Amino acid sequence: MYAVSLKQSGTVSFEYYYPDSTIIFEFFVQNDQCQPNADDSRWMKTTEKGWELHSVELNRGNNVLYWRTTAFSVWSKVSKPVLVRNIAITGVAYTSECFPCKPGTYAAKQGSSSCELCPANTYSNKGETSCHQCDPDKYSEKGSSSCKVRPACTDKDYFYTHTACDANGETQLMYKWAKPKICGEDLKGAVKLPASGTKTRCPPCNPGFFKTNSSTCEPCPYGSYSNGSDCTHCPAGTEPILGFEYKWWNTLPTNMETTVLSGINFEYKSMTGWEVAGDHIYTAVGDSDNDFMILTLAVPGFRPPQSVIADTENKEVARITFVFETICSVNCELYFMVGVNSRANTPVETWKGSKGKQSYTYTIEENATMSFTWAFQRTTFHEAGRKYTNDVAKIYSINITNVMDGVASYCHPCALEASDTGSSCTSCPAGYYIDRDSGICHSCPPNTILKAHQPYGVQACMPCGPGTKSNKIHSLCYNDCTFSHITPARTFDYNFSALANTVTLAGGPSFTSKGLRYFHHFTFSLCGNQGKKMSTCTDNVTDLRIPEGESGFSKSITAYICQAVIIPSEVTGYKAGVSSQPVSLADRLIGVTTDMTLDGIISPAELFHPESLGIPDVIFFYRSNDVTQSCSSGRSTTIRIRCNPLKTVPGSILMPHTCSDGTCDGCNFHFLWESMAACPLCSVADYHAIISSCVAGVQKTAYVWREPKLCSGGISLPEQRVTICKTIDFWLKVGISAGTCTAILLTVLTCYFWKKNQKLEYKYSKLVMNATLKDCDLPAADSCAIMEGEDVEDDLIFASKRSLFGKIKSFTSKRTPDGFDSVPLKTSSGGPDMDL
């Protein structure tokens, strides 16, 4: 902040260096009433190369100038700082005398508007009009106020390189002094520059190139390939695969350049930052240990396979892969940056400290003119001299695919097309693989996707994950917002169409060290649209100064799920909030299942409160294409879809209570989506019938949902059903009639058995009366027996009356061996009993 009072309207101008687009850099002016100016130029653009000049008009009166930067380190990347210099303000009160130039600068004429820096190996005092030359045994850097004694040369003051191949095809190891040379060779203890090595055979050319008679390497013509020696025409039925593969470093390729960026004033120097060394290229010695050693590869564009062009959702256009190594003793850093259509480089990945030999691959998602930059800084601290020249970065190979006007290192089979001159190569339709033997295109089986860059054989068709199916051109797998889960009890059918629209979620507020509030903002597109990803996150930091209606470049990411950093408008003081650092969390849908694990991705159930309704969670599994140091396999995301009848559409999305912002490790994200629309579709198992009583011969059947209702959509409740029925009066009459008939029948039976019993009583009494006979002789007939003409129905005379118990006892008496019952009788003479 700087306050100044202007006597008349004027301007403020300054130079700034702003390379990192992840930083928000703004400059604005406030007046006496603390009102900011309405100029849209407050938001600064990133610098393309080096320093840029910015100027703003000032009003008369008090003005307060603000330079403000805000950086958010979402993915643990260190932002490059913004630098400002040479601030000039006009319109202030006149001064009676000019300010003298500070030491290290000079002004050739009195009254000059600015002072110039003294060149290297010169110095100046305060108020000088010219610079003084240093003595031969001394040196100075640009803008110095004094000279320093030259140190003795050491092995840190020179580097090695390889000469270009001569006419005999030979190269030579050569040593050179680092520029600018500040050491003395003639001083005591100084080392001499080592002699050049013996000449050796030149390494072969890089793949796709051939060696000319003058031992230079030239690209092979189209339709041919090479392994670095001679060009060979591609066999019939094959076509060349274009790209660039650099693995021999005798000379710097023509599409690469190298320079040095000062780590002090961020100005480019006319120096070589990287030197070739046969089988690798390495960082040379800079002017200072905190200089950036720059290597840039420019690519005019790409020519991806036809099947990739047809697939609008497939992001991969090409790939660049490089093998590198860093050897460091202090806090060195290697940056890999990408520039699109000559715009400022954006840092993609950073490696700190020593890193063993390893490979890194970056996926190119836009067919445009691109530049790839490697920048190596030995240390961020500025110290005089060169102490860490042995800290180097080495690149062994760089391979970039599908390059327009590239060269071929091999040819692969292609689809054949008949023509007048024979057969020629053609592109298979999207979703077709090539039969290696016949060259005929075949469609991939249903629900498989084709590996577009290697479409050979049916094995190139990869099956889709569970709950997904392939699109028409077999380029991706998607889910149409439906799912079925079969259990022994029933089948759960789901339709998540109500959740298909884009939904946003803001995490809890976070604060910078100065108390500035910001949010992590998520955008969800659960199913997409037939595989088309619908969530978009934008970086509008560099667009805010572009007037409305004008088109501008903004970094935008489209995915199933993406994340950005949002700064509210009330914090920025601008008409719109700031969206920064968009990151894709889900580029591919892996599958939809109720299992907690799929393709190595785990969705821990303990991250959220347990499910209590007995309906399993449906889990969507996604992967991202972005690969970083901390996320070597890319990022993954899971969304648990849970039935909750109390949450109306679209419901609510929750993050794990133990992990902030949806992730516990920065690589794996987990969310819980509760909604009524997440319940299974209603079926016959979700309702029951209620039957009314029969009233006036009519009975009604109504259908109601089971409580609690755990379904959504699906079938509707059946209409109320009315049936004809018999009333209770009819059935009562039927019952009374049946009871009366039963009573009459029982009465008749009782009378019948009573008569039968009387006959048995009579026979029994006759036996008792004849019991006086001895020796078991049968008695003669008595007069009381039934005489001729008497009716058996006459009244009986009982000899004795027996009780009911006695009758029962008589039935339980034992039976004689001859099958007759044994009945004890007394004789008439009162003798002993005898059994009959």
Side-chain angles (χ1 to χ4, degrees):
M1 182 179 66
Y2 182 76
V4 61
S5 179
L6 269 63
K7 299 300 182 181
Q8 62 182 23
S9 298
T11 61
V12 55
S13 62
F14 58 90
E15 293 180 271
Y16 70 98
Y17 180 76
Y18 175 26
D20 196 341
S21 61
T22 62
I23 295 179
I24 301 172
F25 178 36
E26 52 184 319
F27 171 73
F28 58 96
V29 182
Q30 288 186 347
N31 56 21
D32 290 336
Q33 289 77 35
C34 293
Q35 297 296 320
N37 58 350
D39 192 357
D40 285 337
S41 62
R42 67 179 292 175
W43 302 98
M44 311 300 294
K45 282 187 175 180
T46 53
T47 53
E48 303 296 334
K49 275 192 174 183
W51 295 80
E52 287 193 8
L53 180 67
H54 184 67
S55 179
V56 174
E57 294 184 359
L58 301 178
N59 296 323
R60 179 181 177 182
N62 293 327
N63 292 267
V64 183
L65 315 180
Y66 288 89
W67 291 264
R68 186 165 70 179
T69 60
T70 307
F72 304 95
S73 183
V74 180
W75 308 114
S76 301
K77 289 184 179 179
V78 177
S79 302
K80 289 185 178 181
V82 175
L83 304 180
V84 175
R85 71 179 183 187
N86 294 341
I87 302 174
I89 303 175
T90 63
V92 296
Y94 291 103
T95 57
S96 57
E97 61 181 350
C98 291
F99 293 100
C101 292
K102 65 180 182 179
T105 63
Y106 72 98
K109 297 180 180 180
Q110 291 288 340
S112 298
S113 60
S114 62
C115 300
E116 303 292 335
L117 294 175
C118 286
N121 295 323
T122 63
Y123 72 96
S124 70
N125 298 314
K126 182 179 180 181
E128 295 277 5
T129 57
S130 63
C131 298
H132 308 287
Q133 192 72 30
C134 292
D135 295 335
D137 60 342
K138 294 182 180 180
Y139 77 98
S140 68
E141 298 175 352
K142 186 177 181 180
S144 297
S145 59
S146 62
C147 297
K148 302 176 183 177
V149 177
R150 292 184 182 271
C153 290
T154 66
D155 57 359
K156 300 182 183 301
D157 292 309
Y158 62 82
F159 62 94
Y160 66 92
T161 185
H162 284 74
T163 61
C165 291
D166 56 20
N168 298 323
E170 294 180 330
T171 184
Q172 187 178 23
L173 181 68
M174 180 179 292
Y175 295 90
K176 294 182 179 180
W177 292 113
K179 299 292 184 180
K181 183 183 176 184
I182 61 174
C183 65
E185 300 179 58
D186 301 329
L187 299 178
K188 185 178 179 180
V191 300
K192 299 293 184 180
L193 193 66
S196 299
T198 58
K199 290 191 174 183
T200 58
R201 197 72 186 165
C202 281
C205 295
N206 282 307
F209 291 82
F210 70 96
K211 189 163 291 188
T212 64
N213 294 332
S214 59
S215 297
T216 59
C217 293
E218 295 291 336
C220 290
Y222 181 79
S224 60
Y225 69 98
S226 82
N227 58 0
S229 55
D230 296 328
C231 298
T232 305
H233 284 286
C234 290
T238 64
E239 61 179 348
I241 300 302
L242 301 181
F244 285 117
E245 182 180 1
Y246 301 119
K247 61 180 181 179
W248 298 110
W249 304 92
N250 183 249
T251 59
L252 196 67
T254 56
N255 58 348
M256 299 182 73
E257 62 180 17
T258 177
T259 186
V260 176
L261 177 66
S262 172
I264 303 173
N265 55 21
F266 290 91
E267 292 182 342
Y268 286 91
K269 305 176 181 179
S270 57
M271 298 173 59
T272 299
W274 294 68
E275 289 287 345
V276 295
D279 63 345
H280 67 275
I281 185 171
Y282 77 104
T283 51
V285 178
D287 189 9
S288 175
D289 285 335
N290 69 338
D291 286 346
F292 291 91
M293 320 307 289
I294 306 294
L295 177 67
T296 301
L297 167 64
V299 176
F302 302 93
R303 192 173 71 172
Q306 188 68 30
S307 57
V308 176
I309 297 175
D311 180 13
T312 58
E313 286 302 304
N314 193 324
K315 290 186 175 182
E316 183 172 337
V317 173
R319 289 187 177 189
I320 180 171
T321 302
F322 58 92
V323 179
F324 71 98
E325 176 186 20
T326 57
I327 303 172
C328 303
S329 59
V330 288
N331 56 337
C332 71
E333 290 183 332
L334 175 64
Y335 299 89
F336 175 62
M337 298 174 285
V338 176
V340 180
N341 293 333
S342 301
R343 294 188 178 96
N345 289 327
T346 301
V348 173
E349 192 58 85
T350 305
W351 295 270
K352 297 182 179 181
S354 295
K355 299 293 180 183
K357 193 174 181 179
Q358 58 186 276
S359 173
Y360 177 80
T361 299
Y362 174 76
T363 301
I364 301 162
E365 301 176 351
E366 183 177 359
N367 192 355
T369 301
M370 304 193 75
S371 64
F372 305 95
T373 302
W374 293 264
F376 180 74
Q377 187 180 33
R378 291 180 168 86
T379 178
T380 57
F381 303 104
H382 173 59
E383 297 180 12
R386 305 182 179 103
K387 296 182 180 180
Y388 309 112
T389 56
N390 291 331
D391 294 2
V392 295
K394 298 180 180 180
I395 295 178
Y396 294 91
S397 66
I398 300 175
N399 187 6
I400 182 167
T401 63
N402 300 335
V403 179
M404 186 185 301
D405 300 329
V407 295
S409 59
Y410 67 97
C411 300
H412 70 177
C414 64
L416 298 179
E417 181 183 42
S419 62
D420 296 338
T421 59
S423 59
S424 60
C425 282
T426 185
S427 298
C428 282
Y432 284 68
Y433 67 89
I434 303 173
D435 188 298
R436 284 185 178 272
D437 298 328
S438 63
I440 299 176
C441 300
H442 298 278
S443 176
C444 277
N447 295 329
T448 61
I449 57 174
L450 179 66
K451 294 190 294 186
H453 296 281
Q454 294 179 340
Y456 307 111
V458 69
Q459 62 271 15
C461 303
M462 308 298 294
C464 290
T468 64
K469 56 185 178 182
S470 64
N471 58 358
K472 292 182 179 180
I473 61 175
H474 296 275
S475 62
L476 55 84
C477 299
Y478 72 96
N479 177 272
D480 57 0
C481 280
T482 61
F483 180 72
S484 293
H485 176 59
I486 301 175
T487 65
R490 62 173 288 188
T491 298
F492 294 95
D493 293 319
Y494 297 86
N495 190 328
F496 303 123
S497 299
L499 307 179
N501 295 329
T502 302
V503 178
T504 60
L505 170 68
S510 301
F511 299 89
T512 65
S513 59
K514 295 184 178 180
L516 184 64
R517 178 165 54 97
Y518 65 96
F519 299 89
H520 287 222
H521 191 266
F522 301 90
T523 306
F524 298 87
S525 174
L526 183 67
C527 316
N529 182 8
Q530 300 290 309
K532 183 179 181 181
K533 295 172 276 292
M534 306 299 291
S535 298
T536 302
C537 295
T538 306
D539 182 352
N540 66 355
V541 174
T542 56
D543 279 356
L544 291 178
R545 62 171 294 173
I546 300 176
E548 293 185 8
E550 295 185 14
S551 61
F553 172 77
S554 63
K555 183 181 179 182
S556 178
I557 286 179
T558 302
Y560 282 104
I561 308 166
C562 60
Q563 179 192 22
V565 173
I566 300 295
I567 308 167
S569 57
E570 62 268 20
V571 175
T572 62
Y574 197 62
K575 59 187 176 184
V578 174
S579 175
S580 176
Q581 301 184 31
V583 176
S584 171
L585 305 182
D587 291 314
R588 291 173 288 125
L589 177 61
I590 303 300
V592 183
T593 178
T594 57
D595 298 332
M596 290 194 299
T597 303
L598 180 63
D599 193 33
I601 306 173
I602 302 176
S603 175
E606 61 272 11
L607 292 180
F608 304 99
H609 58 273
E611 190 277 325
S612 59
L613 299 178
I615 298 178
D617 294 341
V618 179
I619 307 175
F620 282 68
F621 291 83
Y622 306 89
R623 278 197 187 279
S624 169
N625 295 329
D626 295 335
V627 177
T628 62
Q629 287 187 80
S630 56
C631 306
S632 58
S633 300
R635 300 183 181 92
S636 66
T637 303
T638 65
I639 300 180
R640 283 180 170 266
I641 308 298
R642 178 174 295 177
C643 172
N644 189 334
L646 303 179
K647 301 281 188 178
T648 57
V649 177
S652 61
I653 301 178
L654 305 177
M655 290 182 284
H657 54 274
T658 57
C659 305
S660 61
D661 296 321
T663 180
C664 299
D665 56 7
C667 298
N668 302 294
F669 291 76
H670 307 283
F671 302 93
L672 172 65
W673 195 338
E674 292 184 309
S675 174
M676 177 190 300
C679 296
L681 296 176
C682 294
S683 64
V684 294
D686 294 304
Y687 64 81
H688 62 94
I690 298 179
I691 303 174
S692 67
S693 59
C694 188
V695 178
V698 176
Q699 189 175 52
K700 297 180 180 181
T701 303
Y703 299 90
V704 296
W705 296 113
R706 299 183 186 275
E707 293 295 336
K709 183 183 177 184
L710 302 179
C711 65
S712 175
I715 64 174
S716 302
L717 284 175
E719 296 291 337
Q720 179 178 274
R721 191 175 62 179
V722 178
T723 56
I724 305 299
C725 63
K726 301 297 184 181
T727 62
I728 189 64
D729 295 339
F730 170 80
W731 292 111
L732 182 61
K733 293 176 181 178
V734 173
I736 293 174
S737 301
T740 303
C741 294
T742 303
I744 295 172
L745 180 61
L746 290 175
T747 303
V748 172
L749 291 175
T750 301
C751 294
Y752 170 77
F753 285 110
W754 181 80
K755 283 287 186 180
K756 200 77 171 175
N757 185 58
Q758 291 297 318
K759 292 179 182 182
L760 291 176
E761 288 286 351
Y762 170 76
K763 292 179 181 181
Y764 178 76
S765 64
K766 291 296 289 182
L767 290 174
V768 172
M769 292 174 62
N770 293 332
T772 57
L773 294 179
K774 297 181 179 180
D775 299 329
C776 300
D777 292 333
L778 293 172
D782 275 308
S783 60
C784 61
I786 300 176
M787 301 302 292
E788 185 178 357
E790 291 182 334
D791 188 31
V792 296
E793 297 297 327
D794 292 341
D795 294 337
L796 298 177
I797 301 174
F798 291 92
S800 62
K801 187 176 182 180
R802 302 186 66 183
S803 65
L804 178 62
F805 178 76
K807 295 178 182 180
I808 296 175
K809 184 176 181 183
S810 67
F811 282 108
T812 60
S813 62
K814 65 180 180 179
R815 185 180 292 268
T816 59
D818 57 3
F820 296 94
D821 291 335
S822 176
V823 182
L825 300 174
K826 289 186 178 182
T827 61
S828 58
S829 59
D833 295 340
M834 58 184 300
D835 292 334
L836 292 180

